[in-house]
Every structure is written in C-alpha cells, then in structure tokens.
Amino acid sequence: MRRHWRLAVDAALYALLVVLVTFSHSVVSVPLAVVQLLPLLIRRRYPGVALVVIAAATAAHSLLGMARAVGYLPMALALYGAATHRSPWVRWGVCGGAAVLVTVTGAIRHGPIEGGLLAAGALVVTWLFGVERGELLRERALIAQLRLERHLADQAAATAGSRERLARRLHDGLAHTVTVMLVQGEALRATAHLSAADEERLQGVLRAGRDALAEVRLALAEETQRDAAATLDGRLAALREAGLSVDGVAGLDALPEVAYRLVGEAATNALRHDGPGARLDAVLTRDGDTVALRLMSTPATPRPPAAAPAGGGFGLRSLADDVAAVGGTLSYGPFGTGWRVVAEFPAS
C-alpha cells in the first residue's frame, strides 16, 4: 500500500509541476523545460543522476531569463531526494555542487541579492531538510533492526528451551526404554538357545526397536526444522515491515536447518547495508548431486560496485562453519551493485 501511495503522490506532484510550468509563462526554452522536468521520473531510483541533469538544465534556463519562482521547483525536488541518499558523496558532493551551480547562475542573471542569495537560501534549506529526512529514515531502519534482533534472540531462546525439554523427555523416557529392550533382546539372543522360529521372532522385535529409535531421532530433526521455518517466517515478516522486499523461499524443507538461518542472515544484512527499499532474491537449483541456494541482495538505489560492502561479518563466517558441518560449502561477496551468498549442499 505504501508503494502504491508513493506512486500516486509522485504522479500528482509531477502533473502539478507540469501544469505550473506550462501556465506560468516562465518557459524561455521548451527543450530546457523538458530536461528540467523529465528526470524527476527517475529521481527515486537515480537521485544523483537526476539532480545533475536538472541542475544543469536549471542553470542554463536561468541564464536565459527563466522566472525564479516556478523554475526552481524541479531543482528543489531533485535536491531533496538526493540529500536523503545513503552515499555521502551524493549527499554532500553532488548536492553541494548542484546548489552552487544554480546559485551562481542565478546571481549572474538576477544579481547577487535577488538571484544568488535568494536561490542559495531556498536550496540550502531544502538540502538540509533532505539530509535530516535521510538520517531519520536510516535511524528508523536501525531501530527496527535492533528490535528485530532482540525479538529473534528471545524467540530463539524460547525455541531452544522448548526443544531441549522435548529432547530430554524423549531421551529419558521413550528412547531409554527402547534401548533397554534392545540390549536385553541382544543379550537373550547371545545366551539363550532359540529355535529358528524364536530367533526370527526376536529378530523382528529388535528390528522394530531400532526403527523406533530412528523415528525418535527423525522426530527431533523434523521438530528442529519446523522451529527454524517458523523463526524464519517471523524474521522475514519483521524485515518486510522495516522496508525490505523479499518473497517467501520455497524448497528449504529439503535442505538442512542451517539453510533457514542463512536466508535470515542474508535478509537482515540486506536491510542493514542497503536500507529500506532493498530487495532480496532467492533461487534454489539442483545440479546432479548438489543443491545450490543463491541469495542476491539489491539496493533500492544502484551504487558503483566499489561501494558494496567488502567483506562478510561474524554471522556469515559462523554460518560457513555450520554449512561445512553438514557437508556443504558457503561463499559470499559483492556481486554487481549488491551482495551475493551461495550455499551448496549435498543432494542427499
């Protein structure tokens, strides 16, 4: 719903700007007016590029005699959007350069007071509002992340306690009793003189006992898997609420329990490093005797590959050991403008 409302607000704002520019008699050059307005359509996805283009068009239009009041509106919107960017280079370097350019051209055309000082005051105020808005968004994302981590820690502790109590009851009760039965049965077969029919009956009892122990172990493993799936569902729901775009991952029940924790860690890192609006894509493929889980995070605002995080944190390093413990391999690192995590497990 928030995404749809954002599109509606952007469309209404853009239409209002087009109407104001059209009927304000401020257009000196139609091509320059188009260049001032058109990049606003990409200002959320490419705020730095949009600001540079709009600033250059506004400066040129200002030198030709553009009216100040309406002509600076596209520049103000682009400046506000770029000022919320995560990159300091965009937030301070690009925004500062664009503001200086428009201020200087305004002073040349309309004088230092009416043109330069007025433009500088309006643009600086807009710029600082954008910076403050960006800081607020990042702070909200951090708070949501901390709340999520605390919730997950509490949930994991409760789940571990419940699983430990269940395992203890099964071990001290059913598993212990069946083990005693198996030991007694083996002792009977070793010491007693049994007929062929009795030997076959005893072998059936022992086989049933071993199957019962195997079912207990399987039940514990399935309980662990169910707990991991429920934990991941809660984690993804909280991350979506904090601004991450991620779809449910199908097929994890065929993988070890560590795969659930791996998806949760990758999703958390995507929101932490790329901020609200980031996206996590998961692909599960099978090639012969290997099942590969690929997780790719993409920031909402594309960035140069060099700006991607350069190394994995403690979470991924710890998970690499857990993946290796079940016979798999884990690799991760920057990929394009985002981050990729690849885990490979034996198909068995």
Side-chain angles (χ1 to χ4, degrees):
M1 288 296 294
R2 286 196 298 266
R3 183 180 303 174
H4 294 159
W5 275 111
R6 177 188 293 178
L7 292 176
V9 170
D10 280 354
L13 185 60
Y14 189 77
L16 178 61
L17 273 178
V18 171
V19 171
L20 287 175
V21 171
T22 302
F23 293 99
S24 65
H25 305 290
S26 63
V27 176
V28 178
S29 169
V30 173
L32 287 177
V34 172
V35 176
Q36 280 182 269
L37 292 171
L38 201 57
L40 289 174
L41 297 176
I42 62 169
R43 68 185 178 89
R44 291 192 184 277
R45 188 164 180 80
Y46 303 101
V49 175
L51 177 60
V52 169
V53 174
I54 292 174
T58 302
H61 213 173
S62 178
L63 291 175
L64 293 178
M66 173 193 69
R68 295 186 299 277
V70 174
Y72 285 163
L73 287 179
M75 173 64 187
L77 285 175
L79 182 64
Y80 180 83
T84 64
H85 199 275
R86 293 176 59 86
S87 170
W89 185 83
V90 175
R91 192 164 64 244
W92 300 108
V94 176
C95 290
V100 169
L101 175 64
V102 174
T103 298
V104 170
T105 54
I108 293 173
R109 178 64 187 183
H110 303 285
I113 303 300
E114 290 294 325
L117 189 59
L118 182 62
L123 293 179
V124 168
V125 169
T126 303
W127 183 10
L128 294 180
F129 269 126
V131 171
E132 182 67 21
R133 173 64 176 171
E135 293 294 335
L136 177 61
L137 290 176
R138 286 184 285 276
E139 183 179 348
R140 288 174 57 184
L142 178 60
I143 292 174
Q145 172 65 26
L146 294 176
R147 289 177 177 173
L148 172 63
E149 291 180 352
R150 181 175 179 178
H151 170 73
L152 292 176
D154 294 341
Q155 187 179 34
T159 300
S162 175
R163 187 163 58 244
E164 183 179 355
R165 288 191 296 271
L166 174 62
R168 188 183 300 115
R169 285 198 296 267
L170 288 175
H171 178 270
D172 294 344
L174 180 60
H176 177 74
T177 302
V178 173
T179 301
V180 172
M181 292 170 58
L182 288 174
V183 171
Q184 294 294 334
E186 292 288 356
L188 178 63
R189 186 170 62 176
T191 58
H193 299 286
L194 302 175
S195 63
D198 291 337
E199 177 74 23
E200 184 176 354
R201 293 189 186 94
L202 180 58
Q203 184 62 31
V205 172
L206 293 175
R207 188 183 307 111
R210 296 188 189 98
D211 290 343
L213 280 179
E215 289 177 1
V216 169
R217 297 190 182 99
L218 180 60
L220 287 175
E222 289 178 346
E223 184 66 25
T224 300
Q225 202 85 333
R226 284 194 294 270
D227 290 342
T231 300
L232 178 61
D233 289 341
R235 188 171 190 167
L236 293 182
L239 290 171
R240 290 189 188 99
E241 187 174 339
L244 180 68
S245 176
V246 56
D247 296 328
V249 184
L252 291 184
D253 53 344
L255 296 178
E257 178 266 344
V258 66
Y260 291 92
R261 294 189 284 122
L262 184 61
V263 174
E265 179 69 17
T268 300
N269 289 342
L271 181 63
R272 176 187 294 122
H273 296 301
D274 297 331
R279 177 174 180 80
L280 180 72
D281 294 304
V283 178
L284 193 64
T285 59
R286 179 165 182 162
D287 183 12
D289 295 332
T290 301
V291 178
L293 174 63
R294 291 178 172 82
L295 303 165
M296 178 68 190
S297 65
T298 307
T301 303
R303 61 191 173 198
F314 174 78
L316 287 177
R317 291 198 299 270
S318 176
L319 285 169
D321 295 337
D322 294 340
V323 171
V326 296
T329 60
L330 180 66
S331 60
Y332 48 84
F335 183 78
T337 62
W339 184 266
R340 183 173 66 177
V341 178
V342 180
E344 294 184 346
F345 301 95
S348 59

